[in-house]
């Protein structure tokens, strides 16, 4: 079964986003890592799709702390 280009882009984005998140990076950095991956010719304009609205009390964008 063929996957749509946006499905392929979404899978690539999620892999990069969650890998960065597991490394303990701030959410905005994880989003940027995923979007950079999508900024390739084969993904077209998919890089513009991921958006993050974040309201953070600490101001550092960390979802959780890894010790």
């Amino acid at each position: 079964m063929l996957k749509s280009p946006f499905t392929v882009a979404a899978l690539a984005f999620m892999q990069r986003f969650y890998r960065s998140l597991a490394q303990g990076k701030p959410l905005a950095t994880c989003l940027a890592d995923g979007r950079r991956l999508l900024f390739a010719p084969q993904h077209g304009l998919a890089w513009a799709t991921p958006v993050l609205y974040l309201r953070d009390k600490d101001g550092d964008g960390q979802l959780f702390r890894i010790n």
Side-chain angles (χ1 to χ4, degrees):
M1 182 160 102
L2 286 174
K3 294 180 183 175
S4 77
F6 284 107
T7 302
V8 173
L11 290 171
F13 171 81
M14 286 189 304
Q15 288 173 344
R16 180 65 58 93
F17 177 83
Y18 287 115
R19 182 180 305 132
S20 296
L21 192 62
Q23 293 171 350
K25 295 180 181 178
L27 286 172
T29 304
C30 298
L31 179 71
D33 289 348
R35 288 182 75 181
R36 264 189 230 102
L37 177 71
L38 297 182
F39 198 66
Q42 69 267 24
H43 296 301
L45 294 176
W47 64 270
T49 304
V51 177
L52 173 67
Y53 295 99
L54 178 65
R55 185 172 181 182
D56 183 15
K57 290 181 182 180
D58 298 334
D60 62 359
Q62 291 292 127
L63 184 60
F64 51 86
R65 305 276 184 238
I66 299 176
N67 297 326

